[in-house]
Amino acid sequence: MIVMLWMTLTLLVPLLVGIPIAVALGGSGLIWLIALDPNYLRGVGHSIWNGATSEVLTSVPLFILMGELVQRSGLASRFYDAVSLWLRRLPGGLFHANIAATSVFSAVSGSSVATAATIGMVALPNLERLNYDRRMTLGSLAAGGTLGILIPPSIPLIVYGALVETSVGKLFMAALLPGIVMALIFSLYIAIKVLLRPGLAPRATGPGPTLAQRLTSLGQMAPLLLVVVVILGGIYLGWTTTTEAAASGTLVTCLMALVQGRLRWAMLRDSLVSAIRFTSMLMFVIFGAQVFSFAVFSWGITGEMGRWIGGLDYPPLAILMIILLIYLVLGMFIDALSIMIMTLSILYPIILQLHYDPIWFGVVLVLLLEIGLITPPVGLNLYTIQALQPGRVAMKEVSLGAFPFVLLLLAGVALLIAFPDIALWLPRQMF
């Protein structure tokens, strides 16, 4: 336990002074391996090689590239405009379009920040022009963006599956229903609040959309929906692996952009560069985590933690609550991927020892980490939405707008704990 505390300090101190997380993880791991026995350094290469050759992780750059193509080709903005046409007369109007568009874009992006930024750029000017409540506008966009790491394909779920060696296909199917449930909960909250305070979202006036406009809007929604069907349908029917689904989705995205005359060399080049940068950053973090995890294992901390937890006279639910509280606090300061990579080597064996389903825990973990995206001081989605209107929006305003959705996400975690089949029913039917 003393060694674990010192290892934690040697990891946290570099992070607090601004050292990149990959360097902090790898450097801390190397120091403690040398302190234990320099001969253990021979195992570092094998540890990194295992991460670098993971077949599951090959899907990550493809999903990132697909999200970049959807964003830069304008498919996402056209989808938002089409959804707005159908939902603007509901109580809450375009707030529902925010949630619907972020939910669907999540299914082709896998990134919460990209989802919030893309839909936010399209939605904010319209909502301001129509005098929608600013605070609720900002909150719905920031919170809707969090669905990007829950609704499949989800980059954190892929990384989780690679780290704990469980099926990413099962994780995707397990996250699908909770993602839909959370989107519905968000929309239900918006409808109730607007019914109680109609001034938050002015009702649409004048004649509704014509039949021709509705048919045109369906054509605008079709490309993005087709990409979603190709990805999830291939996995659901067992026709494709996760990596093959990512490749198929990327190909269909390119074809849709080409058909609509939006596929340009400059756009393709920028998408590839952005995907390469993000993938490189992520892989360096994973390599550093592999070294740190190897050090934790070599010192026997994982086994000792398991024995310590097993000796506690607490019910499994109480221990689970402690673990979830740890993640909730960490999420306020560290991004979701980094938290998973740093902690799973220690906490995942405890989850198994408590006999919780690893697929279910993956969904609960990602849902919990979503909360960190919209909680200060390091809520990435909050900064993303604020950055869309520099100098015009205060962080306090975005945070207050997102706070009700934090409570809704916590309610979602409670639902999954009370009713695990929300996550486990679909994988059981498929696999």
Side-chain angles (χ1 to χ4, degrees):
M1 294 297 290
I2 294 174
V3 171
M4 186 189 72
L5 291 174
W6 278 106
M7 288 183 78
T8 303
L9 285 174
T10 58
L11 176 61
L12 292 180
V13 170
L15 291 177
L16 291 174
V17 298
I19 300 296
I21 188 167
V23 177
L25 282 165
S28 178
L30 288 173
I31 290 171
W32 284 98
L33 285 171
I34 293 172
L36 178 63
D37 186 343
N39 289 324
Y40 277 98
L41 292 177
R42 298 175 181 174
V44 171
H46 295 288
S47 180
I48 293 177
W49 178 257
N50 289 335
T53 56
S54 171
E55 183 179 348
V56 172
L57 291 178
T58 57
S59 64
V60 172
L62 290 169
F63 278 127
I64 295 171
L65 176 60
M66 182 174 59
E68 291 288 335
L69 290 169
V70 169
Q71 177 184 353
R72 297 173 189 273
S73 66
L75 293 179
S77 59
R78 289 165 65 87
F79 182 87
Y80 179 84
D81 293 338
V83 168
S84 301
L85 192 70
W86 288 85
L87 300 179
R88 66 180 184 176
R89 291 187 174 275
L90 294 177
L94 296 184
F95 288 144
H96 296 293
N98 292 349
I99 303 302
T102 51
S103 299
V104 175
F105 185 71
S106 297
V108 295
S109 168
S111 166
S112 287
V113 173
T115 299
T118 302
I119 304 303
M121 283 189 291
V122 180
L124 276 172
N126 289 334
L127 292 167
E128 283 194 343
R129 178 174 54 83
L130 295 171
N131 294 319
Y132 275 68
D133 180 75
R134 174 186 285 259
R135 185 174 292 179
M136 196 164 183
T137 295
L138 300 171
S140 64
L141 288 170
T146 63
L147 299 174
I149 65 170
L150 181 62
I151 295 177
S154 161
I155 304 302
L157 282 177
I158 295 172
V159 174
Y160 175 86
L163 292 176
V164 306
E165 299 181 351
T166 192
S167 168
V168 175
K170 289 183 179 180
L171 286 167
F172 278 4
M173 291 301 105
L176 183 58
L177 189 54
I180 294 172
V181 168
M182 287 311 308
L184 292 175
I185 289 175
F186 285 176
S187 287
L188 180 61
Y189 162 75
I190 289 170
I192 293 173
K193 188 165 183 178
V194 171
L195 285 172
L196 295 175
R197 296 177 58 190
L200 294 175
R203 295 294 293 269
T205 58
T210 64
L211 178 61
Q213 288 175 322
R214 290 184 182 275
L215 292 176
T216 301
S217 69
L218 291 177
Q220 292 177 322
M221 287 190 279
L224 206 57
L225 293 176
L226 179 60
V227 175
V228 176
V229 169
V230 167
I231 296 170
L232 299 184
I235 296 174
Y236 181 86
L237 297 173
W239 293 350
T240 60
T241 64
T242 305
T243 303
E244 291 166 348
S248 301
T250 304
L251 176 61
V252 171
T253 302
C254 287
L255 292 176
M256 292 296 101
L258 180 63
V259 168
Q260 297 192 0
R262 294 172 177 267
L263 187 63
R264 299 286 187 271
W265 166 246
M267 184 267 286
L268 184 60
R269 179 200 61 208
D270 292 343
S271 298
L272 286 167
V273 169
S274 182
I276 290 169
R277 284 177 175 169
F278 184 86
T279 304
S280 301
M281 178 271 294
L282 177 61
M283 292 307 296
F284 271 112
V285 174
I286 290 176
F287 295 159
Q290 293 282 352
V291 177
F292 187 76
S293 298
F294 181 60
V296 170
F297 176 80
S298 299
W299 274 89
I301 292 174
T302 303
E304 189 61 34
M305 283 289 293
R307 286 188 290 272
W308 179 68
I309 292 293
L312 291 176
D313 190 21
Y314 296 122
L317 182 60
I319 298 174
L320 177 67
M321 290 297 104
I322 295 172
I323 293 174
L324 297 186
L325 181 61
I326 292 171
Y327 278 116
L328 187 62
V329 173
L330 288 175
M332 296 180 183
F333 302 95
I334 308 173
D335 68 276
L337 283 174
S338 301
I339 293 172
M340 290 174 57
I341 293 168
M342 288 191 301
T343 60
L344 280 176
S345 60
I346 296 174
L347 296 179
Y348 180 71
I350 297 173
I351 292 297
L352 294 182
Q353 187 172 340
L354 297 174
H355 304 294
Y356 284 109
D357 188 290
I359 300 295
W360 170 85
F361 179 71
V363 177
V364 171
L365 175 58
V366 168
L367 183 57
L368 196 70
L369 293 178
E370 287 184 35
I371 299 172
L373 293 169
I374 53 175
T375 50
V378 192
L380 292 180
N381 280 20
L382 301 180
Y383 287 102
T384 300
I385 296 299
Q386 184 194 31
L388 295 177
Q389 294 190 320
R392 297 176 56 194
V393 177
M395 177 57 65
K396 179 182 178 181
E397 196 171 13
V398 187
S399 301
L400 289 175
F403 179 72
F405 295 95
V406 172
L407 301 180
L408 295 177
L409 287 167
L410 286 172
V413 173
L415 271 177
L416 280 177
I417 293 173
F419 306 101
D421 280 347
I422 296 176
L424 296 177
W425 178 79
L426 193 55
R428 286 172 181 165
Q429 302 303 310
M430 291 179 47
F431 295 94

